[in-house]
Amino acid sequence: MAEQSTLIEKYYISEKTDANKNVSFNFKKANQKVSANFENFIDAVKEFIKVSEKAKVDTRVWFHRDGAYRGSVNIEKAKVIVSKIESAKVENSKAIEFIENENLVDKAPVKKTPISVKKTEEKHTKFSSDNLPKLVFGLEKIYSQSIFDAILSERGSKRLATHKTKTRGEVSGSGKKPWDQKHTGNARAGSLRSPIFVGGGKVFGPTVERNYNLKINKKARKNALFSVLSLLAKDNAVLVKEYNLEKISTRGLLIELSKDNIASLNNILIVSNNETVFLSARNLPNVSVTKVTSLSIESLLAADVLVLSAADVKYLEGMAK
């Protein structure tokens, strides 16, 4: 495309078809209403040439057909289009298609696809899983359905039934019969608190008695737990170590994590009963601390590394027996 100046007047020539399938061409300046309508395509282009010759800045016209952009030209190429169409005697309905097929218009420059750069994974220490018990960290079969069911059960147990609507027995209002049973022309009604009246009670609305807990069998829960632990071990993301801090210190815990080259990971899950470790990790957004008896399947799936003590490994091995 020819290099354009910073100041440029934009014009548009758009093909229009009415209900009788008659083709015409609208000519307009950018951000303005249609200034003229021409039956012939050449007349619209000539109008652009006429306006451009009087303009003090560069001009350019955009062609549209079927609601789509077909290309643009400056005044020099517009003159070439006029001569080409007159010599070829192109019909109005095929004029814009003709100049597009003959490459008489400039198309928008093709955007170069950026070269895909492979993201370099953050380097961190890989921990050997050879000494971990295979019953817990070495399952050959991964129970994906059990993992899915366990996550749904965990989420359901955290959900509270705090939403409620009032029934007809709970809304305020008179209990008096609004009108006589018969001879009024109205349907029978016993109370204004009925759901059919404005301000009446809600039928079958939510109540606080609803229970969102989902049952999962112990065996399925165990299969899900061991499957996720096996996936972590397969990725060499299980560190058997116990952090002991003398005092509550976020900086102290961060130093200990840095020694194992895991401080910069997005999600670190530490299994510990030590309250000092728990309180020290409160201000670290990428560190979570839990007890071995409270391991969450979803948190294990999200973890980049799992840190637990040898005693916790023996506890998990006892569950598998």
Side-chain angles (χ1 to χ4, degrees), residues 5 26 66 92 112 122-123 130 174 181 195 210 239 244 291-292 294 313 315-316:
S5 61
N26 289 339
D66 298 331
N92 280 325
K112 295 182 179 180
E122 189 174 5
K123 292 183 179 180
D130 296 338
S174 173
Q181 180 81 350
R210 180 165 181 178
L239 171 62
N244 293 314
K291 295 181 179 180
V292 68
S294 303
V313 173
Y315 177 85
L316 293 172

Side-chain angles (χ1 to χ4, degrees), residues 145-159:
Q145 184 61 48
S146 296
I147 295 174
F148 178 76
D149 294 339
I151 292 176
L152 290 184
S153 178
E154 289 176 355
R155 291 181 177 180
S157 63
K158 298 175 183 178
R159 188 172 179 183

Side-chain angles (χ1 to χ4, degrees), residues 166-172 190-195 200-203:
K166 291 183 178 181
T167 64
R168 63 183 297 169
E170 296 170 322
V171 296
S172 61
S191 172
L192 289 176
R193 293 186 291 178
S194 171
K202 184 75 174 179
V203 181

Side-chain angles (χ1 to χ4, degrees), residues 63-295:
F63 299 103
H64 287 83
R65 182 172 184 266
D66 298 331
Y69 167 74
R70 301 295 183 175
S72 65
V73 295
N74 54 19
I75 184 174
E76 289 78 12
K77 288 195 174 183
K79 294 177 180 178
V80 175
I81 287 175
V82 172
S83 62
K84 288 282 187 181
I85 290 182
E86 287 180 341
S87 61
K89 297 180 180 180
V90 181
E91 298 178 7
N92 280 325
S93 59
K94 299 180 180 179
I96 295 181
E97 183 181 359
F98 172 78
I99 64 175
E100 186 180 7
N101 294 335
E102 295 294 324
N103 295 323
L104 300 177
V105 293
D106 299 324
K107 291 284 188 177
V110 179
K111 294 182 179 180
K112 295 182 179 180
T113 305
I115 301 173
S116 59
V117 180
K118 292 183 178 179
K119 292 183 178 180
T120 56
E121 295 183 358
E122 189 174 5
K123 292 183 179 180
H124 61 275
T125 306
K126 297 290 184 178
F127 307 105
S128 175
S129 59
D130 296 338
N131 297 328
L132 296 174
K134 300 301 180 183
L135 290 176
V136 179
F137 296 92
L139 293 188
E140 296 181 359
K141 179 181 178 181
I142 303 300
Y143 296 88
S144 56
Q145 184 61 48
S146 296
I147 295 174
F148 178 76
D149 294 339
I151 292 176
L152 290 184
S153 178
E154 289 176 355
R155 291 181 177 180
S157 63
K158 298 175 183 178
R159 188 172 179 183
L160 300 177
T162 55
H163 42 292
K164 181 187 183 303
T165 57
K166 291 183 178 181
T167 64
R168 63 183 297 169
E170 296 170 322
V171 296
S172 61
S174 173
K176 181 182 177 181
K177 191 174 177 65
W179 51 73
D180 293 340
Q181 180 81 350
K182 295 178 178 295
H183 310 301
T184 62
N186 296 326
R188 294 172 293 182
S191 172
L192 289 176
R193 293 186 291 178
S194 171
I196 64 174
F197 291 106
V198 175
K202 184 75 174 179
V203 181
F204 303 128
T207 67
V208 294
E209 297 176 358
R210 180 165 181 178
N211 185 4
Y212 290 100
N213 293 337
L214 296 175
K215 181 182 180 298
I216 181 172
N217 294 334
K218 290 182 179 179
K219 186 176 181 180
R221 161 77 186 179
K222 189 182 297 185
N223 288 337
L225 177 61
F226 294 162
S227 295
V228 177
L229 292 174
S230 297
L231 290 174
L232 285 169
K234 186 178 179 181
D235 293 337
N236 295 323
V238 179
L239 171 62
V240 180
K241 184 176 181 179
E242 185 173 3
Y243 292 122
N244 293 314
L245 302 178
E246 297 180 358
K247 61 178 182 179
I248 301 173
S249 172
T250 301
R251 184 174 182 275
L253 179 59
L254 196 58
I255 292 174
E256 293 296 325
L257 295 174
S258 299
K259 292 179 180 178
D260 298 313
N261 295 328
I262 61 174
S264 59
L265 293 179
N266 293 330
N267 200 328
I268 304 169
L269 181 60
I270 300 176
V271 179
S272 176
N273 293 324
N274 192 329
E275 186 178 0
T276 305
V277 174
F278 176 81
L279 295 175
S280 298
R282 286 183 302 175
N283 291 331
L284 295 176
N286 62 330
V287 180
S288 301
V289 182
T290 184
K291 295 181 179 180
V292 68
T293 55
S294 303
L295 280 174

